[in-house]
Amino acid sequence: MYTTELGKTDGSLAQISQEDPALVEAFEARVAADEFIEPKDWMPEAYRRTLVRQISQHAHSEIVGMLPEGNWLTRAPSLRRKAVLLAKIQDEAGHGLYLYCAAETLGVSRAEMIDALHTGRAKYSTIFNYPTLTWADIGAIGWLVDGAAIMNQVPLQRTSYGPYARAMVRVCKEESFHQRQGYEIMMAMCAGTPDQKAMAQDALDRWWWPSLMMFGPPDDNSPNSAQSMRWRIKRDSNDELRQKFVDITKPQADHLGLEIPDKDLKWNEARGHYDFGAIDWEEFYAVVRGEGPVAKERMKARREAWEQGAWVRDAADAHEAKQRARASA
Ligand code: FAQ
C-alpha cells in the first residue's frame, strides 16, 4: 500500500531498528518539550513516513475536494455567489500546494505523490466521493465539510513538524472564511421559499453522516492514532474531534431551523456533550476502499487534468532550462 511503500528504499524495518538510541531519545525529548522538528533535523524513519502519509493524504484531499464544488461554478445562482465560490476553490488549490511543499521537505517528490494518488495507492478524504446534487450542497459543504476540516486542522497548527504546522496557520484562516460562506448560503436558503428550505434540509440529510466520518475511524479502531499522538503529530483523537464537531454544529442547525438526521442526537447533561447515533462504519470502509458513489469520476477527472496539463509542466521546465542556460552563459 502507498503509505508503507513511499520511502521504502530508505526506510526498511531493519533500518528503523538500527536507529541510534541516543538520537531517538533526543528526538523524543524535543517532541515532549513541544519543540518543532524541522526538515534538516534528525528524525526516526517511521516519523518521517507517518508525516509523508498524513500530509500527502491531506494535500490530495484538498485537490480532489475542488471537484464537487467546481461542479457548481457554472450554475451559481448569482455573480456574487460565483465569485465567492471561485475564490474558495482557488484557496483549496493553494492549500494543496502548501501541503505538497511541506511533504516535499521530507524527501518525497511531488511526482511520486501524484503518481500514488493516480494509481489508487494513496488515500484522500472519503467525503469527496459523494456527489453535489443541488446548490444547497455547496452551502452544506462549506458549513459541514469545511467546519469539520477546521475542527481537525486547528490542533494541527501545533503539530510537531514545523512546515506542516506553519502551513496549517494560513489554511485555518481560509477554512474559517469557507465555513462562514457555506453557513451564509444555508441561512439564505432557510430564509427563502419552502422549496429552498427543503433543499437545505435535504443537503444536511445527505452530508451529515459523511461529515462525521471525515474524522476517521473510532479511537479503538484507529491503528495510527497512538503513535501519532505520542509524536504529537495528532494533538486530539478522532473521537474527541468528532464530539467537538457535533457539539458545535447542533446549535447551528437549530439556528437554521433544520433537523440533524439522527434520532439519537440528544444533550447529555452528565457528560456535558451531545450523545449521537451509531455511524455506519461499513459505509466508511467501503468508501475508503474506493467504492464511494462518485469515486471513479473523481479519479478520472484528476488523471485527465494531469494529462491535459502536461504541456504547462513541459513549458515551465523549458522556461527554467532556458533561464539557467542564459544565467550560465
Ligand atoms: N478518508 O489510524 P487512522 C478538507 C484512513 S481536508 C479516507 O485514524 P490517521 C478541506 C487513514 O488514512 C480533509 N481515509 O489514521 C476541504 C488510515 O489509513 P492509512 C482531509 C481515512 O491518519 C474542504 C486508516 O483510515 N483532512 O476537507 C479517513 O491517524 C472542502 C486508519 O485511520 C486531513 O487529511 C477519511 N476520512 O487519522 C477541501 C487532515 N479517515 O493512511 C475542499 C489531516 C481515516 O494508514 C472542500 N489528517 N482514514 O492507510 C488527519 O488528521 C488524519 O490523517 C485523519 C486520520 C484524522 C484523517
Side-chain angles (χ1 to χ4, degrees):
M1 207 202 82
Y2 161 67
T3 53
T4 45
E5 280 181 2
L6 268 186
K8 209 172 199 172
T9 47
D10 56 348
S12 68
L13 283 177
Q15 185 177 338
I16 290 170
S17 67
Q18 282 165 16
E19 283 171 346
D20 181 345
L23 286 175
V24 174
E25 199 182 317
F27 168 85
E28 303 268 357
R30 288 187 62 197
V31 168
D34 268 339
E35 280 182 39
F36 283 130
I37 305 300
E38 297 298 338
K40 289 185 177 159
D41 295 345
W42 187 88
M43 63 186 80
E45 180 55 26
Y47 175 83
R48 187 189 75 81
R49 278 208 257 160
T50 299
L51 282 170
V52 170
R53 175 183 69 78
Q54 179 167 324
I55 301 173
S56 61
Q57 172 179 301
H58 194 164
H60 299 325
S61 303
E62 300 280 358
I63 298 297
V64 179
M66 296 164 73
L67 296 169
E69 292 176 304
N71 180 37
W72 279 90
L73 267 179
T74 53
R75 289 169 291 156
S78 69
L79 183 60
R80 173 177 166 265
R81 292 288 185 205
K82 187 181 178 117
V84 172
L85 183 60
L86 189 57
K88 177 193 191 296
I89 296 172
Q90 285 174 341
D91 285 352
E92 308 298 1
H95 299 174
L97 294 183
Y98 311 152
L99 287 160
Y100 284 128
C101 288
E104 280 173 318
T105 65
L106 292 155
V108 59
S109 73
R110 182 91 53 107
E112 277 179 274
M113 291 186 272
I114 301 283
D115 185 60
L117 175 68
H118 291 175
T119 53
R121 288 175 295 130
K123 292 187 169 71
Y124 60 89
S125 185
T126 43
I127 193 77
F128 302 119
N129 291 307
Y130 292 86
T132 37
L133 303 180
T134 72
W135 172 253
D137 289 22
I138 300 306
I141 288 182
W143 172 33
L144 301 174
V145 176
D146 285 278
I150 299 171
M151 194 57 75
N152 167 279
Q153 287 168 185
V154 163
L156 290 176
Q157 294 175 104
R158 291 179 298 112
T159 190
S160 57
Y161 188 57
Y164 192 20
R166 290 188 287 274
M168 282 302 110
V169 173
R170 178 155 177 187
V171 168
C172 284
K173 287 196 179 118
E174 291 175 351
E175 298 291 24
S176 159
F177 153 72
H178 298 169
Q179 194 271 353
R180 281 160 211 208
Q181 69 84 36
Y183 194 72
E184 204 249 335
I185 291 175
M186 295 305 268
M187 280 179 22
M189 297 201 75
C190 291
T193 64
D195 279 354
Q196 286 169 330
K197 187 156 185 190
M199 271 168 72
Q201 179 65 55
D202 172 61
L204 172 58
D205 290 347
R206 285 180 291 104
W207 289 92
W208 175 252
W209 292 104
S211 297
L212 295 194
M213 293 175 196
M214 281 178 74
F215 295 94
D219 292 351
D220 56 10
N221 208 7
S222 162
N224 300 299
S225 275
Q227 184 60 73
S228 287
M229 290 187 73
R230 222 161 54 78
W231 277 331
R232 303 201 179 175
I233 293 173
K234 282 168 88 164
R235 309 293 307 221
D236 299 271
S237 80
N238 299 357
D239 284 334
E240 282 164 359
L241 293 172
R242 190 169 11 248
Q243 179 72 62
K244 273 194 195 173
F245 175 75
V246 172
D247 290 348
I248 281 190
T249 310
K250 164 71 173 128
Q252 294 172 350
D254 291 345
H255 182 72
L256 292 171
L258 296 179
E259 201 166 320
I260 291 183
D262 178 358
K263 61 180 176 18
D264 296 320
L265 185 70
K266 278 186 207 78
W267 179 251
N268 181 325
E269 195 61 48
R271 288 201 314 120
H273 292 291
Y274 283 97
D275 290 336
F276 54 96
I279 292 171
D280 181 353
W281 292 113
E282 287 305 312
E283 174 178 327
F284 169 78
Y285 288 114
V287 180
V288 171
R289 284 195 304 272
E291 296 162 22
V294 289
K296 288 196 174 65
E297 288 93 315
R298 295 289 183 248
M299 273 309 95
K300 183 170 177 286
R302 281 311 316 154
R303 281 192 214 105
E304 282 174 5
W306 182 252
E307 283 156 19
Q308 287 163 13
W311 70 271
V312 180
R313 294 189 298 279
D314 290 347
D317 285 347
H319 178 71
E320 196 200 348
K322 215 188 254 178
Q323 298 286 92
R324 226 182 293 129
R326 206 171 282 165
S328 66

